[in-house]
Amino acid sequence: VTLFQLSPDDRVLVVALANRAVVLDVVAGASRGDVPLASRPTHLAFSTTAAGTRAIVVGSTRWVDHEPATALTSIELGAPSAASPRATTIDVPNCEAPLTMLPDGSRGFLSPTYCEESVPATVQKTWTNPDPVSVVDVGAAGLTFVKNLPGFGPVALNGRADKVIAYLDAKRIDPSMFDDKSQIPSDAADPYHLLAIDPHTLKLSLFPIGHELPRFAMSIDGRGLLVDASVHVFRAEAKASITLGADGLSVTASGVFGSDAPFGYFDIDAGRFTAFQGPQVGLDRFVQTADGHVYALRTRSDGLGGDLFGVDVARHTTTDLGRSLRDIGVMADERTLLLRIRLPAASIDGNLFTQEQVCFSTDARTCSATIDYRSTIPLPGGAASCAGGHDC
């Protein structure tokens, strides 16, 4: 099995193997049939429209005359009485990547972070539309490739579903992909831009970022982006401009959106970046709650989890909450936090056992309930294993 996923109504499980997809009715406990796939599946998405629900399997990239093609297979899930699911396949001129669907299931966006063929240096490549944002429509007859837009992924859909966010590398663009030629960055422009796409009209809005590409996270309301400039993304891999010294964590930040602030908020509608005021925080490990608050762990220099900070997105401030955690999570209600609190190891019969407490909280300060946990497996090495900052 390469991947599998439940349909949005939890009634159908789609299991993708090397060359086929199996549709399982989890209510009846029976198979609805198999669908052949054109290539190894890499990603899976669902589209629910008035015509019904379908699974869309993204295949793996193949190169034809030095240009990419990725098969997308649409599988109609249909009613339980259907003899076998119907399927259609199209090719998208792009590399494999996750398919981000609009809530109404009518359109999807696919864009890789980096798309380039591995060929000998003596071969002249003809792929002139690097890393585009591919637009795919979903209709009664199946899938339709609409067009490729400039930019690169991954793409993200905001909470209001009125903006698709991608990125632009001014050094890797095809000018012919711009309908409005005035939007093509000049040679003197910043190399990286934020790309906001209207998912219906496909109109583009570009915002210069700078010479480095920071980490981004969409705010829970979809109105803006949390921007962590302390970590730079280098197209194919993520690297951090972070050093650990004797006095703890130090961060080297570079200018983004015209600011030297290492952490801030970018308002998509206003096209404006605002630095967060307060202690330095990043996006190493964080959760968001329904009221728009962010709780983030700043990685500790001793490797023992992270220090907890609150981020008020509306007021653009950060606050040290004065505690260190192993990890943090949030329940499905998007209100209740799970704080994993480190406890001293328990010493029993000469052996040490890891302990922790899970705190259920709505403010990251007080616990409405707790669960205590103790490992049943002793730490190897006894008391000596706790030397040197071991997390025990």
Side-chain angles (χ1 to χ4, degrees):
V1 173
T2 303
L3 50 89
F4 62 93
Q5 191 171 329
L6 273 170
S7 61
D9 61 6
D10 294 337
R11 299 181 65 88
V12 175
L13 179 68
V14 178
V15 182
L17 296 93
N19 59 0
R20 64 191 177 104
V22 183
V23 178
L24 301 175
D25 188 322
V26 298
V27 178
S31 172
R32 294 189 185 179
D34 290 18
V35 172
L37 299 176
S39 60
R40 177 182 56 84
T42 57
H43 303 283
L44 181 62
F46 287 92
S47 166
T48 300
T49 64
T53 299
R54 66 184 72 212
I56 303 173
V57 181
V58 179
S60 51
T61 305
R62 67 185 191 278
W63 292 85
V64 181
D65 293 331
H66 306 296
E67 295 192 356
T70 300
L72 269 59
T73 300
S74 169
I75 305 171
E76 296 182 21
L77 300 183
S81 60
S84 182
R86 293 195 306 166
T88 57
T89 299
I90 65 168
D91 273 346
V92 172
N94 204 348
C95 285
E96 62 199 54
L99 182 65
T100 300
M101 301 297 303
L102 296 182
D104 64 7
S106 64
R107 175 167 283 179
F109 295 82
L110 178 152
S111 183
T113 301
Y114 203 78
C115 179
E116 189 166 290
E117 183 183 19
S118 298
V119 296
T122 56
V123 176
Q124 183 177 359
K125 304 172 190 176
T126 58
W127 172 234
T128 59
N129 303 336
D131 330 311
V133 179
S134 296
V135 185
V136 178
D137 277 354
V138 181
L143 305 178
T144 303
F145 170 70
V146 179
K147 65 187 302 185
N148 275 345
L149 300 173
F152 66 90
V155 294
L157 181 67
N158 69 354
R160 296 170 295 172
D162 62 359
K163 289 288 189 299
V164 174
I165 304 301
Y167 311 96
L168 187 79
D169 185 344
K171 296 179 180 179
R172 284 175 60 87
I173 58 174
D174 180 355
S176 67
M177 300 176 73
F178 287 84
D179 291 334
D180 182 355
K181 304 303 182 186
S182 67
Q183 291 186 313
I184 300 174
S186 68
D187 293 340
D190 288 345
Y192 291 117
H193 291 66
L194 188 73
L195 186 66
I197 306 168
D198 185 306
H200 303 291
T201 66
L202 302 184
K203 182 180 178 181
L204 308 179
S205 298
L206 274 69
F207 306 98
I209 296 175
H211 290 268
E212 302 286 354
L213 192 63
R215 287 194 299 194
F216 294 96
M218 186 77 71
S219 63
I220 199 167
D221 63 3
R223 296 179 180 275
L225 299 170
L226 303 171
V227 182
D228 181 2
S230 68
V231 173
H232 304 148
V233 181
F234 291 84
R235 300 303 298 274
E237 59 180 335
K239 297 180 180 178
S241 297
I242 295 177
T243 57
L244 294 177
D247 56 349
L249 187 68
S250 62
V251 179
T252 302
S254 62
V256 295
F257 296 112
S259 170
D260 288 329
F263 189 48
Y265 176 80
F266 184 81
D267 186 313
I268 298 172
D269 292 333
R272 182 176 60 248
F273 176 82
T274 304
F276 284 113
Q277 301 299 312
Q280 168 59 31
V281 192
L283 300 177
D284 290 337
R285 180 75 171 130
F286 70 98
V287 296
Q288 300 190 64
T289 55
D291 60 4
H293 278 73
V294 175
Y295 297 92
L297 295 182
R298 188 175 69 186
T299 303
R300 290 169 56 98
S301 59
D302 58 11
L304 303 184
D307 297 324
L308 181 61
F309 292 81
V311 182
D312 189 322
V313 176
R315 293 181 173 84
H316 304 123
T317 58
T318 63
T319 304
D320 187 345
L321 298 180
R323 70 190 321 169
S324 177
L325 302 175
R326 272 208 178 112
D327 204 353
I328 187 171
V330 64
M331 297 288 283
D333 62 5
E334 296 182 336
R335 292 179 176 85
T336 307
L337 302 170
L338 279 75
L339 313 181
R340 293 182 58 194
I341 301 171
R342 183 182 300 103
L343 298 177
S347 178
I348 303 174
D349 297 330
N351 291 316
L352 292 177
F353 296 82
T354 299
Q355 294 189 127
E356 70 177 53
Q357 183 181 79
V358 178
C359 162
F360 296 85
S361 175
T362 56
D363 59 6
R365 291 180 171 89
T366 58
C367 302
S368 58
T370 59
I371 297 175
D372 291 335
Y373 165 80
R374 177 188 296 166
S375 173
T376 60
I377 302 174
L379 287 166
S385 65
C386 278
H390 190 285
D391 186 4
C392 59

